[in-house]
Amino acid sequence: MRGLVPLLAACAAVLVSVVYCVLPPTLLPLERAFPLTRRVELDRLRARDRARHARFLRGAVSGVVDFSVQGSSDPYFVGLYFTKVKLGSPPREFNVQIDTGSDILWVTCNSCSDCPQSSGLGVQLNFFDAASSSTAAVVPCSDPMCTSALQTAATQCSPQSNQCSYSFQYGDGSGTSGYYVSDALYFDMVLGQSLIANSSAPIVFGCSTYQSGDLTKTDKAVDGIFGFGQGDLSVISQLSSRAITPKVFSHCLKGGGNGGGILVLGEILEPGIVYSPLVPSQPHYNLYLQSIAVNGQLLPIDPAAFATSNNQGTIVDSGTTLAYLVDEAYDPFVSSITAIVQQSVTPTISNGNQCYLVSTSVNEIFPPVSLNFAGSASMVLKPEEYLVHIGFSGGAAMWCIGFQRVQEGVTILGDLVLKDKIIVYDLARQRIGWANYDCSLSVNVSVTSGKEFLNEGQLSVSSSSREILFELLPMGIMGLLLHLLA
């Protein structure tokens, strides 16, 4: 790689006179296309989620080429999280979707003839041109990455071009193919309260030369996907393997108003965070769900319904809008809630969904729900984290169960339950942590080197001024920050 800006090292000294050296963190903006005031229909949300699940569940054989597509057929109804990344020399800006259900970063190549030329999200689409970047290098067939056992039959090598290529067909008929490139990823490094330095690091990413199906639709088009999976080619894995960032990332997504929140490559600290171990050797973020309690009472569900196997388990996925519950657990879950509230609400069925007509606040009527995981870690859901407000009928608000029944045996926890919580993906320790939190508030962020705690700083987000304010403690070091502008 030629002409890369050297990464600056920073050392933080602790009281015991031991000096730890780490590379300083980096900063990227994160934006969101927000829903308008019209109410979303559950059928449309389910259709959007079904298309996504067909893609990432079919692609579970490998994280390397498991490109998933977030978004919606109507982006004004369903929020879309995306960040701006700068690639190449000179750097060029790309809007890429944030996705915890896939691994690699990929952007559209300028040679793609079937790719969208405009976007209904109101963003300008850009195309990557390796020939115009002085630091770009096409990954050759002989590269160990291309010949490693991590690759699948979807990874190909063309003797004519000597390019390490990929090709993947998703379960819904859409697909993408292209080749791998090594080039500079540019970012801002936060060195102190007011010092932000420009820097860069070489990473390997995909350059898409062909797209089909939903990927060609302009209404949801962005420049690519930013995968936050566990695979070796994910950006977080590439950067953490070179000690540029810790091998942990966190997010806090606001559920009210216009949404927004914080996504950090680093660990958000909060005293109330509880952790549960990840299921090993899984392509997605699988947890051991053991039981469900409604209003403190365990539901009569066989724990085997939540057991992890090739076609069953519990997945945490920020790209899923609603939440999905296995068939064996769905009926006890809905029946228990209905039995508790039926004297205070009017139960009704709307388009096949269990709904309730409510004349007062749901928080005053509906019970808390606890999802109990391994490690004695419980995720307590407030009513608005398992119900969806559909609209009004006869002057009463209509709320429906947001959890959807699935037959495949895979429980999926999407944004419905992940919102208004700090979620920490600690890949170094193979665990996920969470705590209820007001995501409009500042958060404490730490950076670790291996298992050594170094320091912490405080991040404040000002949604009114759309500015990112840093209130770092002395020698505070923050992780790679992505800010969701409200």
Side-chain angles (χ1 to χ4, degrees):
M1 303 296 291
R2 303 183 301 275
L4 288 180
V5 179
L7 289 170
L8 303 176
C11 297
V14 295
L15 294 178
V16 292
S17 299
V18 178
V19 177
Y20 298 100
C21 292
V22 296
L23 290 167
T26 61
L27 171 68
L28 289 172
L30 191 65
E31 301 182 23
R32 183 187 184 189
F34 299 109
L36 296 180
T37 56
R38 292 176 293 169
R39 288 292 175 188
V40 63
E41 296 178 3
L42 282 178
D43 289 345
R44 302 188 68 157
L45 292 176
R46 279 199 302 267
R48 179 261 182 184
D49 285 342
R50 277 197 302 267
R52 170 178 172 76
H53 299 160
R55 290 189 283 270
F56 80 68
L57 294 177
R58 282 283 299 273
V61 294
S62 171
V64 174
V65 292
D66 183 17
F67 303 157
S68 62
V69 180
Q70 297 187 17
S72 165
S73 58
D74 187 344
Y76 296 105
F77 280 121
V78 182
L80 173 69
Y81 295 92
F82 60 95
T83 187
K84 298 178 185 295
V85 297
K86 293 181 180 179
L87 299 167
S89 300
R92 189 155 193 190
E93 196 170 71
F94 299 89
N95 293 296
V96 288
Q97 298 171 229
I98 296 298
D99 184 17
T100 59
S102 65
D103 288 329
I104 78 164
L105 166 65
W106 65 268
V107 295
T108 303
C109 267
N110 66 323
S111 58
C112 184
S113 58
D114 300 296
C115 299
Q117 303 295 310
S118 62
S119 173
L121 297 177
V123 297
Q124 178 180 347
L125 298 183
N126 292 314
F127 302 89
F128 183 80
D129 182 7
S132 67
S133 173
S134 63
T135 51
V138 175
V139 177
C141 294
S142 59
D143 191 284
M145 184 216 79
C146 196
T147 58
S148 74
L150 294 175
Q151 305 303 313
T152 70
T155 298
Q156 308 160 353
C157 244
S158 170
Q160 293 80 15
S161 61
N162 192 28
Q163 293 177 344
C164 182
S165 304
Y166 59 83
S167 179
F168 197 82
Q169 189 74 20
Y170 298 118
D172 65 347
S174 64
T176 180
S177 59
Y179 57 90
Y180 290 114
V181 176
S182 176
D183 207 347
L185 169 68
Y186 288 83
F187 39 73
D188 293 328
M189 307 194 79
V190 182
L191 304 177
Q193 285 186 314
S194 59
L195 179 59
I196 298 179
N198 295 325
S199 193
S200 65
I203 63 164
V204 172
F205 58 93
C207 195
S208 176
T209 58
Y210 174 78
Q211 295 167 20
S212 63
D214 280 351
L215 292 178
T216 64
K217 295 180 178 179
T218 59
D219 55 357
K220 64 183 87 172
V222 288
D223 297 320
I225 302 290
F226 199 158
F228 275 81
Q230 303 181 67
D232 288 346
L233 277 184
S234 71
V235 171
I236 187 171
S237 293
Q238 293 188 59
L239 296 180
S240 63
S241 67
R242 286 173 276 160
I244 297 172
T245 65
K247 198 170 184 179
V248 55
F249 69 96
S250 316
H251 62 63
C252 193
L253 305 179
K254 291 165 59 178
N258 285 334
I262 302 168
L263 175 59
V264 181
L265 280 190
E267 182 180 2
I268 295 179
L269 301 175
E270 175 64 17
I273 292 180
V274 295
Y275 285 90
S276 186
L278 284 165
V279 180
S281 304
Q282 298 295 313
H284 304 292
Y285 292 111
N286 288 65
L287 291 174
Y288 298 97
L289 178 60
Q290 297 177 330
S291 64
I292 300 176
V294 175
N295 210 28
Q297 298 296 312
L298 287 177
L299 299 181
I301 304 170
D302 186 348
F306 303 124
T308 300
S309 66
N310 290 335
N311 297 309
Q312 109 179 27
T314 301
I315 295 174
V316 175
D317 179 44
S318 65
T320 292
T321 305
L322 299 171
Y324 294 79
L325 197 57
V326 292
D327 189 59
E328 300 91 326
Y330 184 82
D331 285 335
F333 175 73
V334 174
S335 297
S336 176
I337 292 173
T338 302
I340 291 174
V341 303
Q342 62 184 351
Q343 299 301 319
S344 304
V345 303
T346 303
T348 184
I349 302 297
S350 175
N351 296 324
N353 304 298
Q354 179 61 63
C355 300
Y356 310 92
L357 296 178
V358 185
S359 57
T360 185
S361 170
V362 293
N363 293 317
E364 298 176 3
I365 300 174
F366 285 81
V369 169
S370 296
L371 306 179
N372 303 314
F373 296 89
S376 301
S378 293
M379 181 181 291
V380 180
L381 307 182
K382 297 173 291 187
E384 291 182 352
E385 294 166 346
Y386 63 81
L387 298 172
V388 176
H389 187 199
I390 299 302
F392 295 88
S393 177
M398 179 179 290
W399 290 80
C400 298
I401 297 290
F403 277 76
Q404 306 298 299
R405 186 198 304 267
V406 292
Q407 306 293 335
E408 296 88 350
V410 179
T411 293
I412 302 173
L413 305 180
D415 289 341
L416 177 68
V417 302
L418 300 180
K419 66 186 179 183
D420 297 321
K421 295 178 182 65
I422 292 171
I423 308 289
V424 178
Y425 302 77
D426 189 345
L427 306 188
R429 297 174 178 85
Q430 283 294 288
R431 62 182 187 170
I432 289 183
W434 58 83
N436 291 332
Y437 198 76
D438 181 350
C439 297
S440 64
L441 301 178
S442 62
V443 295
N444 289 325
V445 181
S446 76
V447 171
T448 58
S449 177
K451 295 184 178 180
E452 308 278 5
F453 173 77
L454 295 183
N455 218 316
E456 68 178 270
Q458 186 178 73
L459 167 71
S460 294
V461 178
S462 172
S463 58
S464 59
S465 63
R466 293 177 174 250
E467 294 177 346
I468 302 173
L469 306 177
F470 300 96
E471 300 174 2
L472 298 179
L473 300 177
M475 295 188 300
I477 300 177
M478 299 185 61
L480 173 61
L481 167 71
L482 303 119
H483 174 214
L484 288 77
L485 294 177

